[in-house]
Amino acid sequence: MVDLKGQYEKIKDQVNTSILNVLDSTAYINGPEVKKFQEELEAYLGVKHVIPCANGTDALQIAMMGLGLKPGDEVITADFTFAATVEVIALLGLTPVLVDVNPDDFNIDIAAIEKAITPNTKAIVPVHLFGQCANMDAVMALAKKHDLFVIEDNAQAIGANYASKSGQQKAGTIGHVASTSFFPSKNLGCYGDGGAIFTNDDALAHTIRGIVNHGMYKRYHHDVVGVNSRLDSVQAAVLRAKLKNLEDYNSARQSAASKYDAAFASVKNVITPVRNGHHVFHQYTLKVKNVDRDALAQFLNDNNIPCGVYYPIPLHSQKAYADSRYNESDFPVTNQLIKEVISLPMHTELDDEQIKFITSKVIEFVTK
Ligand SMILES: *Cc1c(COP(=O)(O)O)cnc(C)c1O
């Protein structure tokens, strides 16, 4: 699905030198590389505060802790996303409220959010799925109307621009706070685990900087219950090298996506991803109609073409997140998408020959 080796080869000298410098420095945790990466990412995103942490799941949890959400508070998020989003809500004793998504861009359905709001609702977590922003103007308007926090799960859309009413903004800088992941296969990935929280709110940033460090604001004074969640200096060094290339990486993904689009343009039972605005293609996800999706996946695998089904089971149907308040009729779109979606290889190193082979095999299967 991804070619991390090919990408590494192109930045190997720079990355190896930076990693060796970190090893020599012995500043393995919270060293200068972490601080520099933080500042460079703040400048790139145009956000006041980036707080690095250990992974994207922690980032979401810490963002919610920073907002002071309390057990019983309801948090609305999408039914069609990676489980991390709902997991941290449940872990904190908050009440997850899953809602349906849009059939075209796979992002959270605004009307469904509005329907789910109760007096206990405290926050909305839009997930910018597969590399494209949720309808943030509408999410922010709803949040304002009902006095709710907005936590953007930006693990899949770093670098995407959102054309909001108030101008162009980077994904993850629009809500009250955002989280991201630097898992190796993400658009900005390191060579291990990593994550970060973004916010423009000075007070919230201060609170969060203490939470990630055992609730300490002064050494050995623990004012709040915190966690231990750090980005290490080796990962920061890798991320500094890759951040310089992020725009190029995202362009390479878009260019591959356009070639896929062109190849499928006249294939009736294959629906290519909708682009509502700027899409950075963390995944290139097709919908197939009147096709046995699982058989297609098997056929691609038999031809040595990796593919993925993100996501095969709606969160509301997962044992861990089942809730008697949910009705199947609340999730018609997610229930349909799980049968139709298939993601093709998407990364920065795809060449024309690979795209031609992949698309020809998909077309061979769906037109036979
Ligand atoms: C990857 C991902 C996460 C979690 O990130 P980790 O770094 O793996 O903890 C959270 N939400 C979404 C939507 C993701 O894709």
Side-chain angles (χ1 to χ4, degrees), residues 54-60 81-85 127-129 153-156 179-183 186 193-195 282 311:
N55 58 66
T57 309
D58 272 11
L60 265 172
T81 175
F82 182 55
T85 320
V127 182
H128 303 320
L129 205 72
D153 182 345
N154 196 32
Q156 299 189 3
S179 61
T180 201
S181 164
F182 304 124
F183 185 79
K186 302 283 158 111
D193 271 312
H282 174 59
Y311 296 91

Side-chain angles (χ1 to χ4, degrees), residues 321-341:
Y321 306 112
D323 189 315
S324 58
R325 291 169 312 160
Y326 297 140
N327 294 307
E328 284 311 313
S329 59
D330 294 332
F331 306 99
V333 177
T334 303
N335 285 340
Q336 186 69 19
L337 288 177
I338 55 152
K339 294 182 223 153
E340 294 179 348
V341 290

Side-chain angles (χ1 to χ4, degrees), residues 109-147:
D109 176 347
I110 301 302
I113 299 177
E114 190 152 29
K115 220 178 122 200
I117 293 173
T118 74
N120 296 324
T121 307
K122 288 287 154 28
I124 307 170
V125 185
V127 182
H128 303 320
L129 205 72
F130 302 153
Q132 165 159 264
C133 282
N135 181 350
M136 288 302 291
D137 278 340
V139 170
M140 295 311 290
L142 266 186
K144 195 166 177 201
K145 184 171 161 200
H146 297 275
D147 197 20

Side-chain angles (χ1 to χ4, degrees), residues 180-317:
T180 201
S181 164
F182 304 124
F183 185 79
S185 63
K186 302 283 158 111
N187 290 37
L188 177 62
C190 56
Y191 296 160
D193 271 312
I197 302 137
F198 319 147
T199 185
N200 282 309
D201 181 328
D202 297 339
L204 180 59
H206 173 76
T207 302
I208 288 174
R209 284 202 185 92
I211 291 173
V212 297
N213 188 26
H214 301 289
M216 278 195 287
Y217 296 89
K218 201 173 141 194
R219 207 164 162 78
Y220 297 120
H221 293 253
H222 303 273
D223 295 353
V224 295
V225 176
V227 295
N228 168 27
S229 192
R230 300 183 283 234
L231 181 72
D232 68 66
S233 305
V234 167
Q235 301 312 331
V238 172
L239 287 165
R240 287 187 71 203
K242 290 183 72 172
L243 178 58
K244 293 192 185 75
N245 295 303
L246 180 58
E247 292 282 307
D248 289 341
Y249 290 160
N250 283 342
S251 299
R253 288 171 177 274
Q254 287 161 342
S255 154
S258 296
K259 289 171 189 167
Y260 276 140
D261 285 351
F264 296 127
S266 58
V267 185
K268 268 206 328 271
N269 43 2
V270 168
I271 298 171
T272 57
V274 163
R275 304 189 195 199
N276 284 337
H278 189 234
H279 196 322
V280 294
F281 288 98
H282 174 59
Q283 297 294 349
Y284 183 87
T285 303
L286 298 172
K287 284 188 291 185
V288 290
K289 300 279 181 188
N290 305 313
V291 168
D292 181 340
R293 191 272 319 275
D294 293 335
L296 168 61
Q298 187 59 52
F299 177 76
L300 294 178
N301 284 331
D302 291 345
N303 284 279
N304 294 318
I305 298 170
C307 61
V309 172
Y310 310 114
Y311 296 91
I313 304 170
L315 291 177
H316 80 269
S317 307

